[in-house]
């Protein structure tokens, strides 16, 4: 039986526009285990029955320099314990220490990344740990061999240069076709920024970027992934901007489908 370890990362200290994602992990859990649905995934595999789920709760993050090592250590420990870590963000800056923890056990990985933004800034506002910069740090450190980004629709000149520098494969939203999205081989990590979805599908995010993926389009790409994955995250839910828990429900759905790939 597959084992998944859910780890909440309640931090948004590196957000560049609005805060709020630090509140997200509890909202995702509430939606995931709510009586409004069940624990079956679209593959037919069910959480608990077919996929053991360990909820490690939220890490005690305090917006200090100790947070990154805490995240890295918790993720590495999950991997060493034979569990697949699924992270509940939090802003997207957390993906960098998460991947340091993954690489400490599995070595460099391939990444499938869903987002409106490439998050490749060398720095934003002087912050090299900005949630707009995690994949620049990941690629600089050689934590990933291959990075495929899907749903991108905010590619400016600087990030275009960064993508070329690091050999990033970008699937722009305007060219999207699920069947044409490259799905990297194992070891594979999947990072889902909820603002990769169109705001009509996920209004509860800090950065609304129209023209994005539908939930079904994202699921169609996930359905093409050959598991097992080594980990994944769902980040950037901002409960302060959500409508009737709609985006939290979407986040929970995506967490379930990541679990099905473990």
């Amino acid at each position: 039986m597959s084992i998944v370890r859910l780890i909440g990362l309640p931090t948004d200290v590196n957000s560049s526009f609005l805060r709020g994602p630090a509140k997200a992990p509890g909202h995702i859990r509430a939606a995931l285990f709510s009586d409004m649905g069940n624990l079956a995934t679209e593959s037919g595999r069910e959480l608990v029955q077919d996929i053991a789920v360990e909820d490690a709760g939220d890490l005690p993050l305090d917006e200090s320099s100790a947070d990154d090592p805490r995240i890295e250590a918790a993720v590495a420990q999950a991997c060493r314990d034979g569990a697949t870590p699924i992270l509940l963000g939090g802003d997207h800056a957390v993906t960098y220490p998460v991947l340091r923890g993954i690489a400490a056990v599995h070595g460099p990985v391939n990444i499938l990344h869903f987002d409106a933004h490439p998050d490749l800034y060398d720095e934003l506002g002087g912050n090299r740990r900005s949630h707009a910069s995690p994949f620049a740090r990941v690629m600089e450190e050689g934590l990933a061999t291959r990075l495929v980004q899907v749903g991108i629709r905010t590619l400016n000149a600087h990030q275009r240069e960064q993508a070329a520098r690091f050999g990033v494969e970008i699937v722009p939203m305007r060219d999207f076709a699920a069947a044409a999205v490259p799905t990297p081989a194992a070891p594979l990590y999947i990072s889902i920024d909820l603002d990769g979805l169109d705001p009509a599908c996920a209004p509860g995010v800090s950065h609304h970027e129209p023209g994005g993926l539908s939930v079904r389009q994202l699921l169609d790409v996930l359905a093409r992934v050959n598991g097992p994955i080594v980990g994944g995250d769902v980040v950037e839910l901002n409960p302060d901007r959500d409508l009737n828990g709609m985006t939290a429900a979407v986040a929970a759905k995506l967490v379930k489908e990541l679990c099905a790939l473990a």
Side-chain angles (χ1 to χ4, degrees), residues 226-262:
N226 292 318
I229 60 174
V230 294
D233 62 57
V234 177
V235 299
E236 295 288 353
L237 167 64
N238 188 335
D240 294 341
R241 305 194 86 190
D242 207 1
L243 300 175
N244 301 317
M246 174 179 168
T247 314
V250 170
K253 168 77 169 180
L254 297 175
V255 167
K256 275 200 303 185
E257 297 307 316
L258 290 180
C259 290
L261 293 172

Side-chain angles (χ1 to χ4, degrees), residues 19-107:
R19 300 196 69 167
K23 305 173 187 176
H27 289 261
I28 298 173
R29 283 193 192 88
L32 181 61
F33 297 110
S34 170
D35 288 341
M36 72 177 173
N38 61 37
L39 297 177
T41 71
E42 296 202 353
S43 69
R45 299 179 71 203
E46 298 185 29
L47 274 61
V48 180
Q49 178 174 306
D50 304 307
I51 306 163
V53 179
E54 303 172 353
D55 189 351
D58 293 349
L59 292 187
L61 305 180
D62 59 12
E63 301 187 0
S64 74
S65 60
D67 281 355
D68 280 3
R70 288 180 182 124
I71 295 170
E72 183 179 342
V75 170
Q77 188 60 56
C79 295
R80 293 189 186 102
D81 291 342
T84 301
I86 302 295
L87 293 307
L88 315 179
D91 68 38
H92 216 159
V94 302
T95 300
Y96 167 54
V98 168
L99 281 164
R100 292 196 72 181
I102 294 279
V105 178
H106 295 290

Side-chain angles (χ1 to χ4, degrees), residues 4-5 9 44 46 53 60 67 80 91 121 125 145 154 162 168 179 188 194 197 254 258 261:
V4 166
R5 184 171 298 172
L9 303 178
E46 298 185 29
V53 179
D67 281 355
R80 293 189 186 102
D91 68 38
Y121 280 101
T145 304
T154 61
Q162 289 282 87
V168 180
L188 179 62
L194 291 166
L197 297 166
L254 297 175
L258 290 180
L261 293 172

Side-chain angles (χ1 to χ4, degrees), residues 38 56 120 129 147 190-191 196 203:
N38 61 37
L120 288 167
R129 284 291 290 112
L147 172 58
I190 300 178
S191 182

